[in-house]
Amino acid sequence: MNDVKAPVVVRSVRQSYGSREVLHGIDLSVEHNSFHCIIGPNGAGKTTLIEIIHGARRPRTGTIRLLGRPPLPRDPALLARIGVQSQAAAFFSHATAWEHLSTIASLFGASQARAEQLMEIMGLGRVRSSRVEHLSGGERQKLAIASAVIHHPEVLFLDEPTAALDATARHDLAELLTTMWEEGTTIICTTCCPSEAEHLCDTVSILEAGRLLTTASPTTLTAGTVPSAILLPPDAADYLDTITALPGIHHARTAPNGILIQVHNRDQALAALKQAGISTARAQIHVPTLEDAYIKITRDEHLDRQ
């Protein structure tokens, strides 16, 4: 990766709270116009990391470059090029939802038409005249996201953006982010949910206990760490020994609903089963997900550290 062109470059970043080290020498580069998701459990250091990247927090050690510049000290010209939705978003709490977003638009030089568009996209029309302090958690989250994207930032930071959002709002947000990504915005988000990252992002970093375990595409992570699975019906149980010896089979065992087979190459395994005279007509095939890969990678990390 060419760090010179990367809009975000993090090198040897460490952070501590008291005696507890929460980031352990993080190295990370985010490519231009990528949708990069940082996934990990609560307490992994995700929020701390992105706060350091966009300049809301100073690291104990290490260097950061955001659009070619250090994020600290604060640079108004740099701030105008990024968008931030944080877990502790600031609002004009005594203003209405529309007054707040309209004011943010004016501060960033965005049009009122853009503010109207985002009110519609984020489903805020019905609370347009409601004061921000009276909005629900989900409504405030929508307003925070609309405020972060109103000026078409070059780099957008989203911290757990789907928290408190219902299914419809998550769908609308996904469409908005996909459109921005297609228009050239680099997006960096955090989530505890691998399935969200799999459906939205082209690059994933797994953060566990302040350590960056891996960075790759969802497809690469699933293909490289988790075998596919085939569940044969119960009447195949007598063929367990035969199945175990077939080419392309990683592991086979009896399961409540039949035989569960883990395979490295699904097509090769299905062909081998057919050649051995074992019917796959009623077989269920499970394609590995990013969640499967995430669980395996983090479990392996725990075992290595024991």
Side-chain angles (χ1 to χ4, degrees):
M1 184 181 299
N2 189 342
D3 283 352
V4 175
K5 295 183 179 180
V8 171
V9 179
V10 177
R11 290 290 172 260
S12 304
V13 163
R14 294 180 177 273
Q15 180 65 299
S16 300
Y17 298 138
S19 61
R20 183 170 68 94
E21 190 165 28
V22 295
L23 293 177
H24 302 267
I26 301 296
D27 290 310
L28 177 67
S29 294
V30 177
E31 292 185 355
H32 173 70
N33 195 208
S34 65
F35 198 143
H36 195 117
C37 196
I38 301 169
I39 62 175
N42 292 328
K46 303 186 301 297
T47 295
T48 297
L49 177 57
I50 67 166
E51 286 181 346
I52 287 173
I53 294 172
H54 64 68
R57 191 179 298 275
R58 189 179 298 276
R60 180 166 62 85
T61 62
T63 61
I64 303 96
R65 287 294 180 271
L66 174 58
L67 292 169
R69 309 181 189 184
L72 291 173
R74 288 300 205 184
D75 180 349
L78 180 59
L79 291 174
R81 299 170 64 190
I82 68 172
V84 178
Q85 169 267 317
S86 68
Q87 292 188 27
F91 298 98
F92 300 111
S93 59
H94 295 297
T96 66
W98 168 248
E99 289 169 344
H100 170 85
L101 192 58
S102 176
T103 302
I104 295 295
S106 297
L107 290 173
F108 278 105
S111 69
Q112 296 299 294
R114 172 66 170 169
E116 291 282 8
Q117 178 191 41
L118 287 170
M119 290 288 288
E120 178 67 23
I121 290 173
M122 297 306 298
L124 290 166
R126 69 183 187 85
V127 295
R128 179 188 184 93
S129 301
S130 299
R131 288 171 60 167
V132 172
E133 61 187 345
H134 297 151
L135 299 181
S136 69
E139 290 160 351
R140 289 167 69 92
Q141 182 81 329
K142 294 176 186 179
L143 187 58
I145 294 167
S147 301
V149 306
I150 196 158
H151 56 304
H152 297 284
E154 295 175 49
V155 181
L156 174 63
F157 296 91
L158 302 168
D159 193 11
E160 303 279 358
T162 60
L165 296 187
D166 58 31
T168 299
R170 288 197 300 270
H171 176 269
D172 293 342
L173 175 60
E175 288 195 339
L176 171 63
L177 295 180
T178 299
T179 297
M180 293 183 65
W181 182 24
E182 291 171 346
E183 292 174 348
T185 300
T186 299
I187 303 173
I188 304 169
C189 72
T190 69
T191 183
C192 295
C193 183
S195 62
E196 285 186 356
E198 183 170 28
H199 291 120
L200 281 176
C201 304
D202 66 337
T203 308
V204 169
S205 291
I206 296 179
L207 193 66
E208 170 74 12
R211 292 176 171 83
L212 190 60
L213 304 187
T214 188
T215 295
S217 70
T219 301
T220 298
L221 289 176
T222 54
T225 58
V226 185
S228 297
I230 300 172
L231 180 63
L232 294 175
D235 55 16
D238 293 339
Y239 297 96
L240 179 60
D241 291 339
T242 300
I243 291 171
T244 302
L246 293 175
I249 304 299
H250 173 68
H251 178 71
R253 62 177 175 84
T254 57
N257 298 324
I259 297 180
L260 180 64
I261 309 168
Q262 290 183 314
V263 303
H264 291 299
N265 185 311
R266 187 180 64 188
D267 293 339
Q268 180 188 28
L270 289 171
L273 288 166
K274 183 177 180 180
Q275 189 171 2
I278 301 171
S279 174
T280 59
R282 291 185 290 142
Q284 300 177 37
I285 299 176
H286 168 67
V287 178
T289 66
L290 182 59
E291 183 168 314
D292 296 324
Y294 168 78
I295 290 171
K296 183 179 188 304
I297 289 168
T298 53
R299 282 179 176 172
D300 288 349
E301 171 68 11
H302 291 159
L303 291 174
D304 290 343
R305 290 170 55 192
Q306 286 180 353

